[in-house]
Amino acid sequence: MNIITEKLKKGILIFDGAFGTELIKRVKSVGTVPENVNLTRPEVVSEIHRAYLDAGADVISANTFGANRFKAGEKSDEIISAAVALAKQAAGSKAPVALDLGPTGRMSEPMGDTSFEEFYECYKAAVVAGKGADLVLIETMSDLTETRAAALAVKENCDLPLIVSMTFDENMRTFTGTPVDSFVYSVKPLADVIGVNCSLGPGQLIPVVERILSLSDKPVIVQANAGLPDANGVYGVSPEEFAGYAEKFRRMGVSVIGGCCGTTPAHIAAIKSKVGRENLFKPASPPPAVASATRTVYLNGVTVVGERINPTGKKAMKEALRSGNMRYVTERAVEQEDAGAHILDVNCGIPEVDEAETLVRLVRHLETVTDLPLQLDSSDPTALEKALRRYSGRAVVNSVNGEQSSLDRVLPLVKKYGSMVIGLTIDEKGIPKTVDKRIEIAEKIIAEAAKYSIPESDIIIDCLTLTAGAEQQQAVNTLEAIRRLKSAYNVKTALGISNISFGLPCRQSVNTGFLTAALWAGLDLAIINPNVRENIECIDVFNVLSCRDKGATNYISKYSDPAKNPNGSDGGVTANADLGYLIRRGLDGSEAAAEKLLASGMSGDELIEKILVPALNEVGTAYEKGTLFLPQLIASAESAKGAFNAVKKYMKTGTGTAKGAIVMATVKGDVHDIGKNIAATVLSNYGYDVIDLGKNVPPEDVVDAVKKHGAKLVGLSALMTTTVRNMEETIQLLKRECPSAKIMVGGAVLTKEYAEKIGADYYCPDAQSDVKFASEVYGN
Amino acid sequence: MEIPRAEVLRYLGWRKQPADAATLDAVERMCGAVIKHALPRGVFARYSYKDFCLAEAEYELKGNDIAKHLSGAKDVVIMAVTLGLDIDRESARLQRVSVRDALIFDAAASAAIEAFADEFTERMSNELGLPIGMRFSPGYGDFPIETVSDIASLLHADKRIGLTVTGSHGMIPLKSITAVAPVNAGCDGKRKNCAACLKTDCAFRSEKQ
């Protein structure tokens, strides 16, 4: 129990209103750090706090909203400390004081340059500096990664109650695209009160408030703006009107009400006099769902979990994880999403890698390429903990089992991060042979979870898929166990289907048969390869026959159109089309044309040397002369890629080996990478092995990659005057650590003279010059 | 919001090469994609301009070039506009699918944010009932790039339009502009062309006079 929960038992809580608008009325100038007034004009700050207390606020917020280290710099701690002291002094014993933490004004990776850890440290410092406060309010947040880091920083560095509020627009999303649902499912476990503030006036917030209340089993806060500002910064909603909405919110179930931009002591006084005191909040029973920062997936109906990001028995994935080939992982993720997966299982449990570090890296990478929520698949609690901590969303933990040590180690993590959890019906005695034994283990898992107040609805039971070839009777037992569990408990069920057919011929037929039976037994989550058509078809048919696909609309529209070609059109170009022509003109169809040539007996090397390279060279020269411009150059490069793919597929062993490794990176601090990405494409289409490290890359990572891949050439890009110094630092480090590697640089901020000055070997004014230098370095 | 096709081509480095149908079709498609993914937003504030400072913020605008640009103005506006983060997302997705389309999308988005900034300037002018001169952004001439973060702070741009800054004073979303413009001074209200700009070695310098 904490002071907020205690107070809410007695009635609603009224928060204060805007500080900024009150400040401007009283001081002549407000600079880039408004919170400096805590140091320069403390009497004004106290006056504003007293005005809100006199108006009837039950809680006041210290003037610390933008006082974090990112915005206020070195004076942050001093400002926060002073602000809390002033608020405490004004409030005395009358009202608790909230440490008010707003956003840092930075964007999380991958869109921005700020890491989870950097956010955490910033908010931690604020919590420590503000330790005189009675509770913490994190508000006006848009970025889910930042919000979670802030919430964890509070939870792990003090014992104060925590309120977390995000800002949503009329589309029910934050500026970074986080929907209301994702916020609630991800943040509710970390806070005591959640809600919405800012951005919109009270009337416009009603749909957002409704949605939050429908999903939250924790009390809800609403602090609306007093409407929208006009040209003179005057807000339109009067105190009376605002109070009218506040009463409406209270009747809906909101129990903490205050005001944001444009509200005044008069608005708070109106709330105090017009709004009833009774707390009408009723905790909702949120339906089972998982979430990423940009999408929430409800577990109603059949949920497809893509199983492909898993090295077990998959040599190529194992190799990709071992070598850090994120592109391979991206392809598997996107492929599964396109095929209809709703959730992606992620597993990297092989001895060759540090599982915890790799799992976190995968989580961070996958959030750049897919919206799908993740299922974290690991038997290493440390890996699970690190991944759960970092994950911006609500994940599924795969898994716990009936063994006490598994439950003791993993359930606390599930509780802390509020995830869903898969429970395997296996324990220290081994794989159960009977239906009863499966149920018994499931019941144990449910009972243990209840000790942590983890409800049945957060639990997914996996009754185990044993190979029918070896344990034929167990298939029926598993199906019966699912049936019984679904009728007796409010849990979901999952199965990894493919194991059923191991060792049998015509594996897919067995998989399809088992999947069908499991669905009819009540299976909720099918962990499958969604890229196998028959798996998805099976589910689509089930959805028709079980009446979930009303009118079979989805089935009919999906399966009636035989002309659909998901791989993109061939543009009507016949297979006899001249490959060189296609490349010179940047047209589609090059892959098919190349395949035809290879099938007719041309070797891969010949195709590359006699057709691809001359065509690309011709295009390159035309570009340099100015008779072609950049989009045409790129279209040709992409056309060439199709041909290279055909060569790679045809010649499975070793021919067309890469012409040499080139490490490419956009330097630390810079996130403008489109130019570098274009150059990387052009180089790889010329046959080089491009290791693209991405953007915001520290110098040490570039050096590591050069050493690891034996690259003789490095390409660095920077866009800004402020980041080009990091380019210089990277070059200096490379010269020390990898003296034989040549360095080419590009980016709008560079000139030939500057490139020379910072020690680069080559200056690339455009995409084509990279190729010239590469061929010089590698002599090909 | 209208995206001027000539500007898109200029950002693609077009110098009157023959543009084939596939490229022109891609330009149309990508302009459509930008419109679809853009959520243009802007925010501004008016300040008195005295002794090279935004008076009410006691904030000095550093450098000679901005001083020259604002000379004669008694008031200025600071502004921040953005197309929103979905443009960044779509750009990243396109880079995985078709680098050519990604390149054109990027050029179209650059043209779009400039067009939106022009539109926003008209809006500001209408609200204030006064003409507003040409905008001048941090990074032009000797106007320090660090000013980006300060303009964003003064406007509370993060909470009002979702505009954030990086440690190096870059802006996210990528297609965003912060700028200062004179009010009722030194202006014909129209954006000048490249002829007036100091960067004579710019790859995108227009040949128009």
Side-chain angles (χ1 to χ4, degrees):
Chain A
M1 279 301 127
N2 58 56
I3 57 154
I4 294 301
T5 337
E6 282 309 305
K7 283 184 182 286
L8 285 172
K9 282 193 195 146
K10 303 199 185 94
I12 64 161
L13 279 176
I14 300 176
F15 252 76
D16 52 10
F19 205 93
T21 7
E22 291 304 298
L23 190 63
I24 294 186
K25 291 178 188 163
R26 294 162 165 89
V27 304
K28 202 167 42 89
S29 85
V30 175
T32 55
V33 183
E35 291 81 10
N36 259 318
V37 292
N38 290 301
L39 301 175
T40 59
R41 302 289 305 276
E43 73 287 356
V44 172
V45 175
S46 301
E47 195 186 305
I48 297 172
H49 285 317
R50 277 196 303 272
Y52 278 115
L53 285 161
D54 291 343
D58 298 315
V59 185
I60 58 167
S61 321
N63 181 19
T64 51
F65 179 76
N68 57 75
R69 283 185 181 173
F70 276 124
K71 283 188 171 172
E74 289 164 351
K75 289 178 86 182
S76 167
D77 293 357
E78 194 189 345
I79 291 174
I80 291 177
S81 189
V84 171
L86 284 169
K88 282 297 286 178
Q89 203 172 53
S93 53
K94 270 193 294 179
V97 166
L99 174 64
D100 184 358
L101 303 178
T104 59
R106 299 294 177 106
M107 181 73 70
S108 59
E109 317 166 313
M111 300 290 184
D113 66 343
T114 309
S115 70
F116 177 92
E117 290 73 20
E118 284 170 318
F119 282 126
Y120 183 91
E121 288 306 312
C122 181
Y123 283 96
K124 176 181 173 181
V127 168
V128 169
K131 66 178 183 294
D134 303 296
L135 66 147
V136 182
L137 169 68
I138 293 172
E139 62 168 353
T140 327
M141 306 298 280
S142 299
D143 182 326
L144 191 60
T145 304
E146 182 181 12
T147 306
R148 289 185 71 260
L152 286 165
V154 171
K155 280 294 171 192
E156 293 172 355
N157 291 284
C158 72
D159 290 321
L160 301 178
L162 174 61
I163 303 178
V164 181
S165 170
M166 288 189 99
T167 297
F168 298 95
D169 66 17
E170 9 351 75
N171 301 314
M172 307 272 276
R173 286 177 180 261
T174 68
F175 290 126
T176 64
T178 294
V180 173
D181 299 25
S182 290
F183 159 59
V184 176
Y185 279 103
S186 310
V187 176
K188 187 169 58 69
L190 307 175
D192 300 293
V193 176
I194 60 166
V196 54
N197 76 296
C198 205
S199 186
L200 299 171
Q204 295 143 312
L205 275 185
I206 291 173
V208 175
V209 176
E210 251 166 15
R211 191 91 191 125
I212 296 176
L213 284 165
S214 75
L215 296 172
S216 181
D217 53 8
K218 289 190 175 165
V220 175
I221 182 173
V222 177
Q223 302 203 79
N225 288 348
L228 297 169
D230 65 19
N232 298 315
V234 174
Y235 286 78
V237 175
S238 70
E240 287 66 42
E241 199 185 337
F242 197 84
Y245 281 112
E247 173 62 6
K248 185 174 167 68
F249 291 143
R250 186 189 70 94
R251 301 245 180 101
M252 287 164 72
V254 176
S255 48
V256 184
I257 303 176
C260 201
C261 303
T263 55
T264 64
H267 288 79
I268 301 305
I271 293 178
K272 180 78 180 185
S273 72
K274 289 190 168 37
V275 175
R277 293 301 299 185
E278 198 190 341
N279 179 349
L280 298 172
F281 174 67
K282 302 252 171 311
S285 304
V290 287
S292 68
T294 43
R295 193 195 298 199
T296 299
V297 169
Y298 285 91
L299 303 188
N300 47 23
V302 183
T303 302
V304 174
V305 181
E307 67 179 15
R308 303 291 293 163
I309 301 173
N310 186 331
T312 317
K314 299 189 189 67
K315 225 169 74 176
M317 180 58 79
K318 198 167 168 183
E319 182 48 37
L321 289 173
R322 214 195 43 78
S323 67
N325 181 357
M326 283 299 148
R327 181 183 250 164
Y328 186 80
V329 174
T330 301
E331 283 168 12
R332 302 290 75 73
V334 171
E335 196 174 69
Q336 292 185 95
E337 179 169 1
D338 288 346
H342 302 114
I343 298 174
L344 295 180
D345 186 277
V346 184
N347 180 317
C348 57
I350 46 174
E352 293 91 329
V353 302
D354 176 330
E355 190 174 354
E357 193 226 47
T358 307
L359 192 58
V360 172
R361 192 147 42 96
L362 279 173
V363 162
R364 286 174 58 214
H365 178 76
L366 286 168
E367 76 185 7
T368 73
V369 302
T370 179
D371 275 343
L372 297 186
L374 302 182
Q375 179 166 294
L376 303 174
D377 186 350
S378 175
S379 51
D380 175 0
T382 309
L384 280 175
E385 172 154 33
K386 295 204 161 139
L388 280 169
R389 183 177 185 68
R390 176 56 185 80
Y391 182 58
S392 279
R394 186 203 200 196
V396 183
V397 168
N398 186 9
S399 53
V400 294
N401 61 58
E403 212 173 321
Q404 196 61 42
S405 60
S406 160
L407 296 162
D408 290 344
R409 204 48 189 86
V410 178
L411 286 178
L413 299 175
V414 171
K415 176 65 185 177
K416 176 173 181 178
Y417 295 100
S419 22
M420 295 197 72
V421 60
I422 293 181
L424 301 180
T425 57
I426 187 174
D427 62 13
E428 64 278 359
K429 299 197 199 77
I431 296 173
K433 297 288 180 214
T434 63
V435 181
D436 287 341
K437 187 61 185 168
R438 284 168 170 76
I439 306 287
E440 196 184 302
I441 299 176
E443 287 175 340
K444 177 175 180 188
I445 294 171
I446 292 168
E448 282 293 311
K451 292 183 186 164
Y452 296 89
S453 305
I454 297 169
E456 279 172 32
S457 53
D458 285 356
I459 301 172
I460 304 165
I461 300 293
D462 182 337
C463 295
L464 306 179
T465 303
L466 304 167
T467 68
E471 311 232 35
Q472 200 169 13
Q473 180 60 40
Q474 296 308 319
V476 171
N477 287 348
T478 288
L479 297 173
E480 180 56 23
I482 292 176
R483 242 174 245 124
R484 278 212 231 156
L485 280 170
K486 290 295 290 182
S487 68
Y489 296 98
N490 196 16
V491 296
K492 295 290 180 189
T493 54
L495 282 176
I497 299 291
S498 350
N499 201 37
I500 193 76
S501 59
F502 190 81
L504 290 174
C506 291
R507 285 195 65 174
Q508 188 53 41
S509 304
V510 181
N511 292 347
T512 306
F514 186 58
L515 177 55
T516 306
L519 290 171
W520 286 109
L523 184 69
D524 301 292
L525 276 73
I527 305 173
I528 55 171
N529 180 353
N531 295 104
V532 171
R533 232 184 53 242
E534 289 85 344
N535 286 334
I536 297 293
E537 276 171 6
C538 174
I539 294 171
D540 288 339
V541 168
F542 172 78
N543 284 337
V544 171
L545 299 176
S546 62
C547 298
R548 289 166 207 227
D549 179 6
K550 298 245 176 302
T553 335
N554 177 56
Y555 182 86
I556 291 171
S557 84
K558 189 169 170 185
Y559 294 98
S560 299
D561 189 357
K564 276 206 180 97
N565 178 1
N567 293 322
S569 69
D570 243 29
V573 176
T574 69
N576 283 323
D578 180 78
L579 177 60
Y581 174 83
L582 294 178
I583 293 172
R584 284 193 302 276
R585 295 308 205 95
L587 298 171
D588 289 333
S590 56
E591 188 159 351
E595 274 166 8
K596 204 157 201 276
L597 287 171
L598 294 164
S600 75
M602 188 182 275
S603 79
D605 283 340
E606 214 188 321
L607 192 144
I608 292 174
E609 293 306 320
K610 293 227 165 73
I611 303 184
L612 251 53
V613 172
L616 287 173
N617 283 341
E618 200 181 307
V619 166
T621 310
Y623 173 75
E624 278 169 11
K625 278 217 284 258
T627 52
L628 283 184
F629 72 129
L630 191 56
Q632 294 161 322
L633 176 74
I634 301 304
S636 294
E638 292 196 298
S639 187
K641 182 161 110 171
F644 272 111
N645 285 346
V647 170
K648 259 188 253 176
K649 271 198 299 199
Y650 220 79
M651 315 273 140
K652 289 185 203 88
T653 55
T655 23
T657 45
K659 296 208 273 199
I662 306 179
V663 171
M664 306 277 289
T666 298
V667 300
K668 177 129 193 80
D670 208 315
V671 295
H672 300 88
D673 61 348
I674 191 167
K676 180 265 297 170
N677 292 345
I678 289 172
T681 300
V682 172
L683 285 166
S684 81
N685 292 335
Y686 269 80
Y688 293 98
D689 177 22
V690 176
I691 296 108
D692 186 346
L693 300 176
K695 54 191 173 181
N696 190 17
V697 182
E700 314 75 63
D701 290 8
V702 178
V703 166
D704 287 346
V706 170
K707 284 182 177 166
K708 182 170 170 188
H709 297 272
K712 291 207 210 136
L713 180 59
V714 180
L716 302 173
S717 84
L719 185 81
M720 308 178 63
T721 52
T722 43
T723 53
V724 78
R725 63 184 76 123
N726 297 331
M727 181 181 274
E728 188 172 357
E729 196 189 316
T730 308
I731 293 175
Q732 282 169 7
L733 192 62
L734 279 166
K735 296 255 175 247
R736 278 204 303 277
E737 301 279 326
C738 311
S740 60
K742 295 280 185 215
I743 304 165
M744 58 182 178
V745 299
V749 69
L750 288 164
T751 58
K752 191 158 196 290
E753 296 67 39
Y754 196 79
E756 270 172 33
K757 174 161 173 274
I758 60 176
D761 297 295
Y762 304 108
Y763 164 63
C764 300
D766 57 38
Q768 195 60 13
S769 44
D770 299 54
V771 176
K772 212 168 33 183
F773 300 134
S775 93
E776 247 182 67
V777 166
Y778 278 107
N780 53 20
Chain B
M1 183 177 59
E2 286 294 319
I3 304 180
R5 304 304 192 251
E7 286 296 281
V8 180
L9 291 172
R10 185 168 71 81
Y11 285 123
L12 290 170
W14 188 61
R15 296 217 179 279
K16 302 188 167 46
Q17 296 92 336
D20 58 294
T23 305
L24 290 173
D25 170 73
V27 169
E28 282 315 301
R29 278 186 301 107
M30 289 302 105
C31 286
V34 169
I35 302 279
K36 178 169 159 216
H37 290 275
L39 256 174
R41 288 187 171 101
V43 72
F44 77 98
R46 175 187 186 170
Y47 284 88
S48 316
Y49 182 60
K50 285 193 194 87
D51 300 323
F52 311 112
C53 287
L54 304 175
E56 294 85 349
E58 289 175 359
Y59 180 81
E60 186 193 347
L61 296 171
K62 299 201 175 78
N64 297 321
D65 294 327
I66 186 64
K68 197 163 121 200
H69 187 81
L70 297 176
S71 77
K74 293 208 174 61
D75 287 306
V76 298
V77 284
I78 58 172
M79 62 187 278
V81 292
T82 181
L83 292 182
L85 204 60
D86 223 27
I87 293 285
D88 296 42
R89 278 208 186 89
E90 180 62 6
S91 174
R93 190 191 69 83
L94 283 169
Q95 286 177 52
R96 286 193 295 273
V97 168
S98 164
V99 172
R100 195 257 326 248
D101 283 358
L103 174 75
I104 297 176
F105 181 84
D106 190 77
S110 296
I113 186 60
E114 293 288 342
F116 178 64
D118 290 344
E119 206 179 290
F120 190 76
T121 303
E122 261 191 66
R123 247 190 261 174
M124 289 192 287
S125 180
N126 290 337
E127 269 191 57
L128 296 178
L130 291 165
I132 293 180
M134 191 172 119
R135 61 179 176 271
F136 199 94
S137 287
Y140 291 0
D142 66 354
F143 194 20
I145 193 77
E146 287 79 4
T147 317
V148 165
S149 302
D150 293 333
I151 292 178
S153 290
L154 288 169
L155 289 172
H156 302 283
D158 60 346
K159 79 173 181 188
R160 294 174 69 192
I161 60 171
L163 177 63
T164 64
V165 297
T166 65
S168 332
H169 309 285
M171 289 177 285
I172 307 289
L174 289 173
K175 300 302 173 188
S176 303
I177 293 175
T178 53
V180 185
V183 175
N184 203 18
C187 53
D188 49 22
K190 292 209 170 33
R191 194 150 71 90
K192 295 197 174 62
N193 56 31
C194 296
C197 177
L198 301 164
K199 189 166 168 65
T200 48
D201 62 348
C202 175
F204 307 108
R205 192 172 179 91
S206 167
E207 288 153 355
K208 277 205 303 247
Q209 285 308 309

